[in-house]
Amino acid sequence: MEKRNTTSDFILLGLFKHTGPHLFLFMVVLTMAIASFVGNALILLLIYWDLRLHTPMYFLLSQLSLMDVMLVATIVPKMAADYLTGKKSISPAGCGLQIFVSLTLGGGECFLLAAMSYDRYVAVCHPLRYPVLMGWQLCLRMTLGSWFLGAADGLMQAAATLSFPFCSAHEIDHFFCEAPMLVRLACADTSVFENIMYICCVLMLLVPFSLILTSYSFILSAVLQMRSREARQKAFATCSSHLAVVGLFYGAAIFIYMRPKSYRSANHDKFVSAFYTIFTPLLNPLIYSLRNSEVKGALKRWWGKCANLKCQQT
């Protein structure tokens, strides 16, 4: 088969077409992405600004918000610019950067969510030993480990994906560069790489997901032993909302990266990818932070301080 010049650009076909209904969907997705960016940036600033939130739990939340802000900023501006201008090309270097950053953030978030579930397990099941079992040193180690493992996976997959020779067809039926989509364009045998990628996905997705389910099973067991019905209902509502967000994120990632090649569909992959790159980052600040009384208190204090400064200036 004819091989394309490795210096030529890829073409991202995008998520939407230039029709009325698709324009409406584009505006909805763009609004969600902006809301996600603003919400996560607000949580990040609140945790940094309020000394009461300088605890391991909120530090982990701040890292989750940072990852979500960076993920949205990496993917959405390029997607929006491509749709609005019609210029859908992306250089191999730009494509590799998108693969690296998205996998670094997505993979890091997998491990970070597991760390957050452990934090909640210790807080609920061993509250008196929380300062010992979840100290700052362990918190920082888990955070750095999440970033490092995500970056290692992103670097490996980006370098391996771009090392393949690509055929004359260089159109990516997606709205950003994602390793499984790019591998489909390769002219070489990619079976070894796909097997290695599958093993990586088991380590990056199934292992943290199993740890999360284990942590929440212990939490639910402790909740069932609570005497207060109101406390049980509140704990169940919190756990179920957390697990719903985790399920959406991991379910979408598993669907993209661990599904057999024969069952893959470009249209399905595009919309499922939008779930964990745009929709889940929108839910994270709502579920993990803005429903929290301490975060809401910090937001009120910040708003009150801003109002007072405005009154003094006038």
Side-chain angles (χ1 to χ4, degrees):
M1 296 178 67
E2 182 189 354
K3 297 180 182 179
R4 71 169 182 87
N5 189 334
T6 55
T7 61
S8 62
D9 293 346
F10 294 103
I11 303 297
L12 293 169
L13 298 183
L15 187 61
F16 304 109
K17 298 178 181 178
H18 290 276
T19 62
H22 277 233
L23 177 60
F24 173 76
L25 290 174
F26 168 76
M27 295 304 298
V28 170
V29 170
L30 186 61
T31 302
M32 290 172 57
I34 294 172
S36 172
F37 185 90
V38 172
N40 283 290
L42 177 62
I43 295 301
L44 194 61
L45 292 173
L46 279 177
I47 293 174
Y48 174 79
W49 173 77
D50 198 309
L51 295 178
R52 296 179 182 86
L53 302 182
H54 289 189
T55 64
M57 182 185 81
Y58 290 109
F59 178 77
L60 292 175
L61 280 173
S62 72
Q63 294 301 297
L64 180 67
S65 292
L66 177 60
M67 289 180 177
D68 286 339
V69 164
M70 293 177 65
L71 186 62
V72 171
T74 300
I75 294 171
V76 175
K78 172 64 177 171
M79 179 197 73
D82 287 352
Y83 183 79
L84 294 173
T85 64
K87 298 178 180 179
K88 300 182 177 183
S89 62
I90 184 170
S91 67
C95 200
L97 184 62
Q98 272 199 338
I99 293 174
F100 169 71
V101 175
S102 62
L103 283 173
T104 296
L105 299 172
E109 192 163 326
C110 288
F111 290 104
L112 189 66
L113 288 171
M116 291 170 63
S117 70
Y118 171 76
D119 173 79
R120 291 300 82 209
Y121 157 73
V122 175
V124 173
C125 299
H126 304 283
L128 298 179
R129 300 179 62 196
Y130 182 86
V132 177
L133 297 176
M134 191 59 196
W136 273 108
Q137 189 174 13
L138 178 60
C139 177
L140 292 174
R141 284 179 179 176
M142 290 193 298
T143 302
L144 290 174
S146 298
W147 281 98
F148 175 78
L149 291 172
D153 181 56
L155 182 62
M156 182 197 71
Q157 290 204 39
T161 302
L162 292 178
S163 68
F164 291 116
F166 295 100
C167 304
S168 56
H170 52 275
E171 293 182 342
I172 305 173
D173 195 2
H174 210 23
F175 61 96
F176 72 100
C177 286
E178 203 165 22
M181 312 305 156
L182 205 58
V183 168
R184 296 179 189 176
L185 305 180
C187 289
D189 180 15
T190 61
S191 57
V192 174
F193 170 71
E194 290 182 33
N195 290 333
I196 294 175
M197 189 167 65
Y198 187 86
I199 295 172
C200 288
C201 289
V202 170
L203 297 175
M204 301 290 290
L205 294 172
L206 295 186
V207 172
F209 188 54
S210 300
L211 293 174
I212 291 172
L213 292 180
T214 302
S215 296
Y216 276 101
S217 65
F218 283 117
I219 292 173
L220 290 174
S221 177
V223 168
L224 289 173
Q225 298 176 16
M226 293 179 178
R227 295 182 179 181
S228 170
R229 182 179 179 182
E230 183 179 351
R232 282 201 308 270
Q233 290 177 342
K234 184 177 180 180
F236 271 124
T238 301
C239 289
S240 60
S241 60
H242 287 191
L243 287 174
V245 174
V246 166
L248 282 174
F249 177 79
Y250 278 93
I254 290 171
F255 182 87
I256 294 296
Y257 286 94
M258 299 190 67
R259 196 167 33 128
K261 192 174 182 179
S262 57
Y263 290 93
R264 290 177 182 171
S265 166
N267 287 329
H268 292 161
D269 289 347
K270 285 191 289 186
F271 287 102
V272 172
S273 293
F275 259 88
Y276 77 87
T277 57
I278 299 173
F279 185 63
T280 304
L282 174 64
L283 292 179
N284 282 339
L286 298 176
I287 298 298
Y288 287 105
S289 301
L290 294 179
R291 292 178 60 188
N292 185 294
S293 59
E294 292 180 326
V295 174
K296 287 191 288 188
L299 182 60
K300 290 179 181 178
R301 288 190 294 272
W302 177 77
W303 186 260
K305 187 175 181 179
C306 291
N308 290 335
L309 288 173
K310 188 176 181 180
C311 290
Q312 290 175 2
Q313 290 176 355
T314 56

